[in-house]
Amino acid sequence: MSQNKGKAKIEVIEKYCKGCNICVAFCPTNVLEMDGFVVKVARLEECIKCMQCELRCPDFAIKVHDA
Amino acid sequence: MAYDYEKNIRPGKLPHIWCPGCGHGIAMKGLIRAMDTCGLDKNNTAMVSGIGCASRLPGYMDYCTLHTAHGRAAAFATGIKMAKPEMNVICVGGDGDGVAIGGNHFIHACRRNIDMTYVVFNNYIYGMTGGQFSPTTPTGDKASTTPYGNPDPTFDISKLAIGAGATFVARTTAFHATQIDKLIVQGIKHKGMAVIEVLDDCPTTYGRRNRFRSVVDMMKRLKDIAVPVAAAGKMSPEQLEGKVLTGVLHQEDRPEYCEQYTEVIKRAQAQSE
């Protein structure tokens, strides 16, 4: 996993995000944080592409791409 | 790398109506991945639902869909399967819709062992109608109609399905996102009635009345109560207190209903000739 570090691109579709906080809570490397009622990518370089946020987002609002 | 869910969703339907943090969205993603893995043809797959939060799901899906009367998803799905046995039929519904209001249809679909996949989204409450307690609301928990605690014992949907005769029964939770699609894939490939119970969370009408301050608390609870079937064998009854088993709970081979009925038709035609 660690060899993937820093090679991700995280897309947040803001009009789908309802700010439930699931992705922020379950990200193992604290990449995401809340910005009001919408999630934002705060520390992209920490992303290990584990896909936990994309899998657990109930609102189809997060996508993790290869950079 | 990101999964393309949109190709299975009707254009313009997102964002969906479910509340922030509702586990139905996670389960829907699992269902989409499973249907993709099985390579189901959009024109040859029927998704059927009744009424409720979970039953809104087929409305978003770009397949043949049917939104029916409350609790009657299994009845309509049985009709589709009988008329067109070559169709893949997937039923979706909540706990209240599937095993309370539609309980009779559900158990008889299980008994017949008709070839369909029934995904039950168990969020422990009637969410859409205002948080009334359902047959799966844990004893003692509060709902809008049980403000002093629910006195009723609860249904175990998986055990109910096994008892009624379903030939594939599995359970997972919205927290275990990757397990959802694996179990649904097995259910779709299984010849006969497959019931997959997905435990999920209703933060709006269940969580906030019952000691769960946030969506994340509810997801952590799902993580804590789930015990894989394989691990449960090594645990004592005390350790299993308050836990639910996840994984494939039951699988057997039994004659499928449409095939049996085809035999009946052949016998009747042979007699009339």
Side-chain angles (χ1 to χ4, degrees):
Chain A
M1 279 290 190
S2 58
Q3 72 272 21
N4 289 332
K5 203 168 174 179
K7 292 179 186 168
K9 184 169 154 265
I10 302 176
E11 178 190 0
V12 176
I13 306 167
E14 292 195 358
K15 67 174 182 178
Y16 293 173
C17 180
K18 294 172 186 164
C20 68
N21 208 34
I22 289 178
C23 56
V24 178
F26 290 109
C27 175
T29 53
N30 281 320
V31 172
L32 305 161
E33 63 182 41
M34 293 305 295
D35 179 16
F37 288 105
V38 178
V39 66
K40 74 165 186 186
V41 183
R43 287 168 287 275
L44 183 62
E45 67 283 358
E46 296 294 320
C47 179
I48 54 170
K49 288 195 280 191
C50 65
M51 312 296 283
Q52 296 289 323
C53 55
E54 186 185 312
L55 277 169
R56 297 225 171 84
C57 173
D59 296 301
F60 300 80
I62 277 205
K63 286 175 185 290
V64 183
H65 302 281
D66 288 320
Chain B
M1 189 169 174
Y3 200 91
D4 183 15
Y5 295 99
E6 276 81 357
K7 67 178 188 292
N8 294 298
I9 294 175
R10 289 184 174 136
K13 283 285 182 183
L14 288 177
H16 54 60
I17 57 141
W18 295 317
C19 304
C22 174
H24 290 354
I26 304 172
M28 178 178 171
K29 284 172 135 176
L31 182 58
I32 291 175
R33 292 194 300 272
M35 291 169 81
D36 268 355
T37 308
C38 292
L40 300 187
D41 176 12
K42 286 185 180 181
N43 295 317
N44 196 34
T45 303
M47 297 190 73
V48 191
S49 70
I51 299 294
C53 290
S55 299
R56 292 292 296 246
L57 192 152
Y60 300 113
M61 300 287 282
D62 195 12
Y63 288 82
C64 305
T65 60
L66 196 59
H67 196 184
T68 72
H70 205 346
R72 271 63 187 168
F76 282 81
T78 303
I80 293 172
K81 193 70 190 176
M82 293 299 290
K84 285 181 168 278
E86 72 283 1
M87 257 192 141
N88 305 299
V89 180
I90 295 174
C91 267
V92 180
D95 50 321
D97 180 66
V99 300
I101 290 171
N104 221 355
H105 298 295
F106 178 78
I107 57 172
H108 290 289
C110 292
R111 174 176 66 89
R112 291 189 182 112
N113 193 32
I114 189 158
D115 185 21
M116 66 165 96
T117 308
Y118 201 123
V119 186
V120 187
F121 293 55
N122 180 3
N123 60 0
Y124 305 98
I125 203 92
Y126 282 98
M128 182 174 276
T129 48
Q132 294 86 353
F133 75 109
S134 82
T136 55
T137 306
T139 310
D141 279 4
K142 289 173 185 156
S144 64
T145 44
T146 55
Y148 303 105
N150 168 31
D152 291 10
T154 58
F155 259 155
D156 182 326
I157 297 177
S158 295
K159 279 186 184 166
L160 177 73
I162 295 169
T167 48
F168 180 89
V169 180
R171 177 162 49 205
T172 182
T173 80
F175 177 82
H176 302 85
T178 51
Q179 196 183 28
I180 300 172
D181 45 318
K182 283 178 192 151
L183 293 177
I184 296 177
V185 165
Q186 289 184 53
I188 291 172
K189 287 182 177 165
H190 178 77
K191 185 85 178 162
M193 180 77 176
V195 176
I196 293 102
E197 180 186 1
V198 182
L199 301 177
D200 63 17
D201 60 316
C202 178
T204 305
T205 60
Y206 177 72
R208 70 189 167 93
R209 289 194 179 94
N210 293 287
R211 73 201 172 273
F212 301 110
R213 295 183 65 83
S214 71
V215 172
V216 176
D217 288 347
M218 296 205 77
M219 296 301 283
K220 283 182 177 160
R221 170 185 162 273
L222 291 175
K223 180 187 176 190
D224 292 341
I225 62 170
V227 176
V229 179
K234 297 170 195 151
M235 291 168 71
S236 65
E238 292 80 38
Q239 286 173 311
L240 286 172
E241 186 75 35
K243 306 278 186 191
V244 289
L245 301 187
T246 57
V248 179
L249 305 177
H250 178 74
Q251 191 166 14
E252 64 171 315
D253 281 323
R254 205 153 57 78
E256 196 271 325
Y257 187 68
C258 294
E259 287 174 357
Q260 297 292 97
Y261 203 80
T262 310
E263 294 300 314
V264 172
I265 294 169
K266 278 183 192 160
R267 279 207 299 277
Q269 282 174 340
Q271 278 181 11
S272 64
E273 277 168 9

